């Protein structure tokens, strides 16, 4: 993309913009409106820096017209005229949604493995079913799951995991990760 620095009019917008955003770019205000409200201050600050002739590199979320959220990595640099004033700003915006989702999936998997490892250590030290329940339940809750997936048998001697409930919770968590 290339914009005129003063008027903010788009001089060149890649056709890929419509694919990533799901719409044609009308103007800079339309662009800012497409950015997730939590990320708009970051984008507006970057636009101000660009007007002053500063390079910028930011990541932000946008709202696609289909309702999905996309992550964008945006790099911009000034183009100066012969007198040294900022004439245009050029940049590259890349959809990094898949990378962000993969990173989140790896982070979540790492946390799950750490929790399972801690639970296994706690189970080895436990002396009673209640201690096992508490140790494993704490780790499950730490991951954001409902600890009621753990149940004792009638004699309170054996602890079991309700795999159906746990699997359903894991599926919901996975769905949140991939949007």
């Amino acid at each position: 993309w290339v914009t005129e620095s003063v008027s903010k009019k788009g001089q060149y917008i890649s056709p890929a913009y419509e694919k990533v955003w799901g719409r044609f770019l009308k103007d800079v205000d339309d662009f800012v409106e497409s950015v997730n409200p939590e990320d708009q201050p970051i984008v507006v600050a970057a636009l101000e820096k660009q007007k002053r002739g500063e390079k910028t590199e930011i990541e932000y979320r946008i709202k696609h017209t289909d309702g999905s959220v996309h992550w964008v990595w945006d790099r911009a640099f000034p183009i100066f005229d012969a007198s040294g004033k900022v004439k245009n700003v050029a940049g590259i915006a890349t959809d990094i949604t898949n990378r962000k989702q993969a990173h989140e999936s790896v982070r979540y998997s790492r946390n799950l493995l750490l929790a399972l490892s801690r639970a296994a250590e706690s189970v080895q030290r436990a002396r009673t079913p209640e201690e096992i329940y508490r140790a494993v339940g704490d780790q499950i809750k730490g991951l954001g799951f409902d600890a009621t997936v753990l149940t004792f048998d009638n004699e309170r001697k054996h602890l079991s995991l309700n795999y159906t409930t746990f699997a359903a919770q894991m599926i919901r968590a996975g769905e949140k990760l991939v949007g």
Side-chain angles (χ1 to χ4, degrees):
W1 55 266
V2 179
T3 59
E4 201 276 324
S5 67
V6 177
S7 70
K8 300 180 190 176
K9 288 183 182 176
Q11 292 183 336
Y12 171 76
I13 305 297
S14 168
Y17 180 92
E18 288 183 57
K19 180 179 177 189
V20 175
W21 270 259
R23 63 175 148 241
F24 179 76
L25 178 66
K26 297 176 195 164
D27 54 33
V28 172
D29 293 333
D30 180 54
F31 160 71
V32 172
E33 181 65 28
S34 72
V35 175
N36 183 300
E38 293 175 18
D39 297 340
Q40 286 179 1
I42 297 165
V43 171
V44 170
L47 292 172
E48 290 301 316
K49 287 180 179 182
Q50 292 166 13
K51 280 198 294 189
R52 293 192 304 265
E54 298 177 40
K55 293 180 181 178
T56 61
E57 181 174 343
I58 58 173
E59 292 182 1
Y60 53 89
R61 294 163 291 175
I62 60 164
K63 299 172 284 190
H64 191 280
T65 54
D66 68 7
S68 64
V69 173
H70 290 247
W71 277 93
V72 174
W73 175 34
D74 202 333
R75 287 98 53 216
F77 57 92
I79 299 171
F80 300 97
D81 64 15
S83 68
K85 292 183 181 179
V86 179
K87 180 179 178 180
N88 296 316
V89 177
I92 301 168
T94 307
D95 186 341
I96 59 168
T97 305
N98 290 340
R99 184 182 85 193
K100 285 288 195 175
Q101 288 172 341
H103 182 277
E104 182 61 23
S105 180
V106 167
R107 187 191 66 75
Y108 181 79
S109 295
R110 179 183 173 277
N111 289 343
L112 178 60
L113 289 172
L114 285 171
L116 291 173
S117 174
R118 288 184 193 121
E121 290 170 4
S122 298
V123 167
Q124 289 175 350
R125 289 191 302 270
R127 303 273 185 244
T128 67
E130 285 82 7
E131 288 176 356
I132 293 171
Y133 180 84
R134 190 171 28 259
V136 175
D138 288 347
Q139 294 303 319
I140 289 173
K141 283 187 219 174
L143 291 169
F145 293 106
D146 183 354
T148 60
V149 298
L150 295 172
T151 56
F152 282 110
D153 65 1
N154 290 337
E155 298 171 4
R156 296 191 59 80
K157 291 184 179 178
H158 297 95
L159 183 66
S160 64
L161 177 65
N162 180 332
Y163 290 103
T164 304
T165 304
F166 186 67
Q169 290 182 12
M170 290 291 286
I171 288 168
R172 282 194 302 276
E175 288 170 346
K176 286 180 186 176
L177 288 176
V178 295

